[in-house]
Amino acid sequence: MHADLSRSTFRPERHYSAVVAQQGRVQLDADLNEQAAIQLHQVRTRTADLIGRHGGPRDATGFRIEYVGGKHDIDTLYIHGGRYYVDGILCDADLPAPQVPVPDEDDTAADRQPASAQPYWDYWNQPDGFRDPERPGDRLPSPGRSPFVVYLTVWERTVSAAEDPALREVALGAALPDTAVRAKVVWQVLPLSLGELEIEDADPSKEVVRAAFDRWAQRRAAPAARLAARAERPEHADEEPCLVRPDARYRGQENQLYRVEVHAGGTAQDATFKWSRENGSVVFPVDGLDGTWVELATLGLDGKLDLDVGDLVEFTDTAYSSRLDALPLLRVEELDLPGRRVRLSAEPDPRVGRLPQLHPFLRRWDHRGGPRRKGRTAALDGGAIPVTEGEWLPLEDGVEVYFAADGGYRTGDHWLIPARTATGGVDWPVDPARRPLLRAPAGIDRHYAPLALVKGEESAVDLRLAFGPLAGSIPAADEATLAAEASAAREERTAEADLSGGRSQTTAAAEAAVEGDE
């Protein structure tokens, strides 16, 4: 989650059920965020326990798939509306209802009608898919050659005011201050060949496909990378002015939340990473692009959250944020403060940031080079740092990270490392011998569900699951039930009368009271 946080404290293994506020205490963002995380974890766990790994309501099951071959155009899929749950996460495939503008005086009756819309998404315009027909890798396989599976992948990402200007409260002023960010469920409908599922049969059954898909999804969802973090007092610490404690291992002057994020995925030989001391939350909305010059809506709120020559930035937009594709990081070469412009080291990728409705923005990362070894700084790869396993890699101010051997890295996976001046170290779990523990990424959590097996035009085998409502009508009581209830009531009254000598308990008590008065 790219956001300006103090830290992230939710841990499901602690079994906390609520965050309880105390009067007169400092309120932190971490407490509020943990309460939201606890509730979300409970709701999604309960939903998955009741429904299973995936499924939809019987009368409103979403994501029905139709394959449409492109005789004169490109192939596509129709994604029909409704709801579907994947690992307890609600995915809504319904299209927004068309809106009706205020008519002009000279509009005809036909002009006042809302524009008709298709009752489904298609593969090319799904809201968070951002597939490109010009990219061969985005096109659908040909079912005539081999059937393929259509599946649903689900994950969450953070949306800030830079990506959705409607989140910004304009009453706060023209300096573009933001407030809270939002967590968004991203769903994408994608194809998968039978070969990737290790299915050799050209006409497999539903059960075979579902079982193979579950094995594939389990491998894909499980993170294969591990990282540890620590703070070690740098060798040059004695040469610095005493702005922090002399014995501090973390030498930074402020509390920080470091984010170490995988940039390009793959094995250690191919993977790269980037890091930010502000959890990757420093972003700048883009107003225009002219070659290597980028016009920004703002250059930052202060000297800590601005841009400077030499900074590495990621030029992206909402589409590429959802695709999780790694693009080269670019270096800021020149600043034009009056014009709110920066010149980058190269022109951004032509597929990114050209459409204003996709809200392009720059995201600042805080590394300037690779780790220093033997007095030399390691070279960057596409603006990011090559992953080196099995050794401690320094970031800055004594903060170091360690990648475990034989890791598999996925773009977007990240770890959060709180660094604190009060302790002079980082907040990271250790064993009894004070050795840092290797941890899986804090995100991204990926979830998968099979939707259909496409064999050809109008031949898609439905792989979805559905569940019915738990509630039902109350049956009317029959004569035998009513007679049994009346008999039981008579027997109860008879038993009470026997206990009071043939009189009811109320009558006996009243007579005893009268005799006492006499």
Side-chain angles (χ1 to χ4, degrees), residues 229-237 240 244 248-260 273-280 282 304 311 364-372 377 385 392-402 417-421 424-426:
R230 71 180 184 184
E232 287 291 305
R233 194 166 183 267
E235 295 179 359
H236 62 276
E240 297 176 345
V244 294
R249 291 167 292 127
Y250 168 56
R251 305 299 296 179
Q253 301 175 33
E254 298 182 2
N255 298 319
Q256 303 288 2
L257 180 62
Y258 285 89
R259 181 189 189 93
V260 175
F273 72 97
K274 53 204 174 187
W275 61 264
S276 163
R277 66 179 71 94
E278 304 289 347
N279 190 27
V282 182
K304 179 184 176 184
D311 285 340
R364 191 191 78 186
W365 296 95
D366 293 323
H367 61 279
R368 293 291 186 97
R372 293 184 63 85
T377 301
I385 307 170
W392 287 99
L393 307 176
L395 303 187
E396 68 170 5
D397 294 330
V399 179
E400 299 179 347
V401 296
Y402 180 99
I417 308 168
R420 297 294 181 256
T421 59
V426 297

Side-chain angles (χ1 to χ4, degrees), residues 91-162:
C91 303
D92 192 340
D94 289 324
L95 275 73
Q99 302 298 306
V100 182
V102 175
D104 296 330
E105 294 181 358
D106 56 350
D107 284 348
T108 64
D111 294 331
R112 299 188 185 101
Q113 299 300 320
S116 59
Q118 294 177 328
Y120 48 75
W121 300 100
D122 69 47
Y123 176 76
W124 301 106
N125 76 349
Q126 51 183 306
D128 293 304
F130 299 108
R131 302 292 102 181
D132 186 353
E134 300 300 324
R135 293 187 178 188
D138 284 355
R139 296 179 184 176
L140 294 170
S142 173
R145 298 179 180 177
S146 176
F148 63 91
V149 172
V150 177
Y151 71 98
L152 184 65
T153 178
V154 183
W155 55 283
E156 283 185 297
R157 72 178 185 90
T158 304
V159 177
S160 67

Side-chain angles (χ1 to χ4, degrees), residues 439-508:
R439 298 182 66 176
I444 301 171
D445 293 329
R446 293 161 170 84
H447 310 268
Y448 305 94
L451 298 177
L453 173 63
V454 175
K455 297 182 177 181
E457 189 86 28
E458 299 180 357
S459 179
V461 179
D462 200 340
L463 299 176
R464 299 171 302 158
L465 301 175
F467 58 87
L470 296 177
S473 60
I474 300 176
D478 54 22
E479 293 183 1
T481 301
L482 295 175
E485 291 179 352
S487 175
R490 287 195 300 270
E491 292 177 359
E492 184 177 355
R493 289 194 298 270
T494 300
E496 291 177 351
D498 292 341
L499 291 174
S500 57
R503 298 169 297 172
S504 67
Q505 293 181 357
T506 304
T507 303

Side-chain angles (χ1 to χ4, degrees), residues 138-354:
D138 284 355
R139 296 179 184 176
L140 294 170
S142 173
R145 298 179 180 177
S146 176
F148 63 91
V149 172
V150 177
Y151 71 98
L152 184 65
T153 178
V154 183
W155 55 283
E156 283 185 297
R157 72 178 185 90
T158 304
V159 177
S160 67
E163 299 174 77
D164 185 359
L167 298 180
R168 194 181 307 280
E169 175 51 73
V170 297
L172 295 178
L176 301 180
D178 61 353
T179 53
V181 300
R182 304 295 189 270
K184 178 181 180 179
V185 172
V186 174
W187 60 259
Q188 297 170 336
V189 172
L190 302 173
L192 183 67
S193 69
L194 294 183
E196 293 179 90
L197 294 178
E198 300 178 353
I199 297 177
E200 298 181 358
D201 188 356
D203 188 20
S205 65
K206 285 186 177 183
E207 291 72 19
V208 169
V209 174
R210 284 174 177 154
F213 184 88
D214 286 344
R215 293 191 295 270
W216 175 86
Q218 187 175 11
R219 294 193 302 268
R220 294 271 296 187
R226 297 290 187 274
L227 177 140
R230 71 180 184 184
E232 287 291 305
R233 194 166 183 267
E235 295 179 359
H236 62 276
D238 294 332
E239 303 172 4
E240 297 176 345
C242 190
L243 299 178
V244 294
R245 286 192 350 233
D247 61 341
R249 291 167 292 127
Y250 168 56
R251 305 299 296 179
Q253 301 175 33
E254 298 182 2
N255 298 319
Q256 303 288 2
L257 180 62
Y258 285 89
R259 181 189 189 93
V260 175
E261 181 174 316
V262 176
H263 184 66
T267 62
Q269 289 74 24
D270 304 318
T272 60
F273 72 97
K274 53 204 174 187
W275 61 264
S276 163
R277 66 179 71 94
E278 304 289 347
N279 190 27
S281 64
V282 182
V283 295
F284 306 87
V286 171
D287 282 348
L289 177 64
D290 182 11
T292 59
W293 281 98
V294 181
E295 182 182 350
L296 304 176
T298 175
L299 284 174
L301 301 178
D302 54 36
K304 179 184 176 184
L305 304 176
D306 63 1
L307 285 173
D308 201 355
V309 172
D311 285 340
L312 287 165
V313 295
E314 184 177 2
F315 186 93
T316 186
D317 55 27
T318 54
Y320 259 74
S321 295
S322 294
R323 286 183 62 99
L324 291 178
D325 286 347
L327 293 171
L329 303 181
L330 304 175
R331 191 180 305 277
V332 175
E333 301 288 354
E334 186 178 350
L335 297 177
D336 175 14
L337 298 180
R340 298 197 315 275
R341 299 190 307 161
V342 297
R343 183 171 63 86
L344 303 179
S345 55
E347 185 174 352
D349 190 294
R351 298 168 297 184
V352 183
R354 270 57 177 184

